Amino acid sequence: MTIDDLILVSVDDHVVEPPDMFSGHILARYADQAPKVITADDGTDAWVFEGQQATNVGLNAVAGRPPDEYGIEPTRFSEMRPGCYDIHERIRDMNANGVLASMNFPSYPQFCGQYFARAEDKDLALAVLRAYNDWHVDEWCGTYPGRMIPLALPPIWDPGLMADEVRRMAAKGCHAVTFSENPEKLGYPSLHSGHWDPFWTACSDENTVVCLHIGSSSQVVVTSIDAPIDTLITLQPINIVQAAADLLWSPVLRKFPQLTVALSEGGIGWIPYFLERVDRVYKMHRAWTHQDFGGKLPSEVFMERVVTCFIDDAFGVQNRDKLNMDMITWECDYPHSDSTWPVAPEVIGAYLDGVPADEAAKITHANALRIFSFDPFAHVPRAQATVGALRAQAADVDLGYRSSPRLKKEGTETVSVLSLASKLPR
C-alpha cells in the first residue's frame, strides 16, 4: 500500500475558536455577557469573560509558521494560519495533508472548560458552555459532515450537570468528552473518590469516550525553575504515565466496566514497560494493598479499556504487538508545534512500512471510527477519502511559511519552563 492509498483519521487536533463563535448559539438573555474577543494595546487578541482574559499561547497555533517564530507569546488572529479558526480553510488544510477526519480539542476554554468553570455566575457559565458545545457540533463539525468528530466540553463544577450534558450531546451524535488527567490539580475531587460517578455513568450509558489530554490538569512539568523549555516539551507526553497510573489504580475502570478512556496525545512507546510494571506491582503487593481486578491483570484492564494515541512514535509502532491493536489510534495535532502537518502521510507512512494492511488500517482510521462512533463514509465515499484523493482537491493550497516579524526570535536567550508556567491560567 502506498501513502496515497491510506485513509487518515486524527483523534487529536485543536481548534482556535473564531471571534463570532457564540453568535446564534448563546441564549438571547445571555448574549451581552457571553465571552468576547478584544484587542489589547500591544495588538494581541484575547477572549474576555466575567473580567477574565484568555489568550492563545503561541505554540498553540504555529502551523505554517517558520520554526524560529515559535514561542509562548500571546498571538493575534492575523498571525495565525486561517485554518486554525476558519472551518472552510481547516478543511482545505486537512485535504492538503490527506486527512479525512479530525477531532478537535478546545483552546481558550482550556481542555475541560476550566475557563467557564471559574465564572462566578454558574447559570451563565452553563449557558456559555452549552453554547460552545452547540457551536462545536452544529457549526464547526456540522458544516462539513463526515469530516469532524465532535467532542464536548463538560461543566466540570457539577457532576450531575456533566451527566446531563453528556446525554444532551450524545443525542446530537457526539460520543466524546474532554476531561482532566488529574482533576485534583484543578481543585476538584480526585479519580479515587465517588464524586464523578454520575459523569462516568452517563458516559458508560451513552458510549461516550472520556478523553484525557496531556496538560488538562493545567499544570506543566517543572523539574527545576531554570530548566529550558526543551525539558518540558520532552516530558509532556511521557508525563501522562501519571494519569495512566492514577486511572488504573482508581476504582473507575472496575466500577464502570463499559467506560472507555483515551490518553490523548500521550504517545505509545512508553506503554509496554508501564504495563509490565503495573502487573509486577499487582502481583507483589496486592496481598497488603488489597487491589482486586476480578481475575484479570491490570495490564489486561488497561488494554481493554484505554485508547492509546500517538503522533510520531516509531518505537511504539514497532512494538504494537505489546499493545491492543484494536485500541491504537493516530493523531496529527494540527495546528500545535508537535504537528506533522502538512506531511503527516509521509511521516506515518514511514512507520507503517512493513505493517500488515489490516493493522495499518486499524491504526490510521478504523479503530478511531469504531471507538468514537463516527462514520465519515456516510458522507464521503471511500474512493474520495484517501490521502491521494484528498490532496488532489487541495492542489491550490499554499503550504509555504507565513512569517510574522513580531514573532521572529533574535539572540540566544534560553526560554525557561518557569516562563511558560507563569503564562498558564489555573
Side-chain angles (χ1 to χ4, degrees):
M1 176 181 289
T2 68
I3 62 170
D4 280 347
D5 296 325
L6 293 174
I7 295 175
L8 297 180
V9 172
S10 171
V11 299
D12 170 47
D13 292 306
H14 302 264
V15 57
V16 176
E17 295 82 5
D20 63 350
M21 63 162 292
F22 287 102
S23 178
H25 299 287
I26 189 75
L27 293 173
R29 66 179 179 273
Y30 293 118
D32 292 339
Q33 302 172 71
K36 294 176 175 59
V37 172
I38 65 165
T39 300
D41 292 341
D42 63 358
T44 58
D45 296 317
W47 284 90
V48 176
F49 177 51
E50 277 200 345
Q52 302 179 71
Q53 284 197 23
T55 59
N56 278 298
V57 176
L59 290 177
N60 287 349
V62 298
R65 184 178 299 160
D68 67 342
E69 295 179 17
Y70 286 17
I72 58 177
E73 301 85 357
T75 55
R76 309 166 180 169
F77 283 97
S78 61
E79 292 169 335
M80 301 177 196
R81 188 174 179 87
C84 297
Y85 56 84
D86 183 301
I87 185 58
H88 307 294
E89 292 301 317
R90 171 62 66 91
I91 295 298
R92 282 167 52 78
D93 280 355
M94 288 168 60
N95 289 347
N97 200 28
V99 173
L100 170 62
S102 164
M103 186 164 71
N104 287 197
F105 285 83
S107 291
Y108 88 82
Q110 300 178 268
F111 283 119
C112 42
Q114 302 99 296
Y115 182 61
F116 301 147
R118 291 192 292 269
E120 292 292 331
D121 185 338
K122 288 299 187 285
D123 290 336
L124 171 62
L126 183 61
V128 168
L129 181 137
R130 287 178 172 169
Y132 184 104
N133 285 339
D134 288 340
W135 165 82
H136 180 86
V137 172
D138 299 338
E139 193 169 334
W140 186 254
C141 297
T143 300
Y144 291 87
R147 302 302 300 274
M148 291 291 183
I149 302 172
L151 173 70
L153 281 175
I156 195 170
W157 61 90
D158 186 322
L161 292 176
M162 293 169 73
D164 292 343
E165 190 65 2
V166 165
R167 298 184 193 283
R168 187 179 80 89
M169 297 308 291
K172 294 167 74 77
C174 175
H175 293 280
V177 61
T178 176
F179 186 60
S180 177
E181 62 191 347
N182 189 342
E184 188 176 76
K185 298 295 186 182
L186 301 178
Y188 297 100
S190 76
L191 300 181
H192 304 277
S193 74
H195 177 81
W196 307 103
D197 284 3
F199 174 56
W200 307 134
T201 298
C203 292
S204 299
D205 292 346
E206 301 295 344
N207 193 30
T208 294
V209 180
V210 179
C211 299
L212 310 181
H213 196 286
I214 61 170
S216 54
S217 59
S218 288
Q219 295 204 356
V220 295
V221 184
V222 179
T223 56
S224 56
I225 61 172
D226 54 351
I229 198 168
D230 313 71
T231 306
L232 178 150
I233 295 172
T234 300
L235 293 176
Q236 192 74 349
I238 305 170
N239 192 55
I240 206 169
V241 68
Q242 296 185 60
D246 210 31
L247 173 68
L248 192 56
W249 293 116
S250 80
V252 173
L253 295 180
R254 284 169 278 175
K255 189 173 182 179
F256 298 91
Q258 303 305 314
L259 184 67
T260 301
V261 176
L263 299 180
S264 302
E265 206 175 318
I268 60 175
W270 57 272
I271 294 175
Y273 172 70
F274 169 77
L275 297 181
E276 178 182 312
R277 178 62 183 166
V278 294
D279 283 352
R280 177 170 172 76
V281 169
Y282 185 58
K283 292 172 184 177
M284 297 289 289
H285 298 280
R286 61 177 298 195
W288 70 276
T289 63
H290 308 296
Q291 291 283 352
D292 184 358
F293 282 82
K296 294 181 179 180
L297 291 171
S299 62
E300 293 174 312
V301 173
F302 180 99
M303 288 197 287
E304 291 171 1
R305 310 282 297 289
V306 177
V307 183
T308 56
C309 317
F310 76 97
I311 301 170
D312 185 7
D313 201 328
F315 182 81
V317 174
Q318 291 168 9
N319 292 276
R320 64 193 180 280
D321 61 312
K322 303 297 192 295
L323 305 174
N324 180 352
M325 274 302 308
D326 292 329
M327 297 292 269
I328 302 174
T329 59
W330 171 80
E331 306 166 316
C332 176
D333 200 31
Y334 179 104
H336 281 192
S337 56
D338 257 356
S339 177
T340 54
W341 183 91
V343 293
E346 286 75 17
V347 174
I348 186 63
Y351 299 157
L352 295 177
D353 186 30
V355 175
D358 61 329
E359 294 185 5
K362 287 183 177 183
I363 292 171
T364 56
H365 68 280
N367 288 344
L369 301 183
R370 183 194 77 254
I371 290 166
F372 292 101
S373 306
F374 188 72
D375 181 15
F377 305 120
H379 306 279
V380 182
R382 279 183 176 268
Q384 298 175 26
T386 64
V387 168
L390 292 169
R391 280 181 161 173
Q393 300 178 41
D396 63 329
V397 174
D398 180 5
L399 301 179
Y401 285 142
R402 303 181 183 188
S403 182
S404 170
R406 185 183 75 90
L407 298 174
K408 190 169 290 295
K409 301 296 178 290
E410 297 180 359
T412 58
E413 181 181 357
T414 299
V415 180
S416 72
V417 168
L418 187 62
S419 64
L420 176 59
S422 67
K423 294 177 183 292
L424 294 178
R426 291 293 182 261

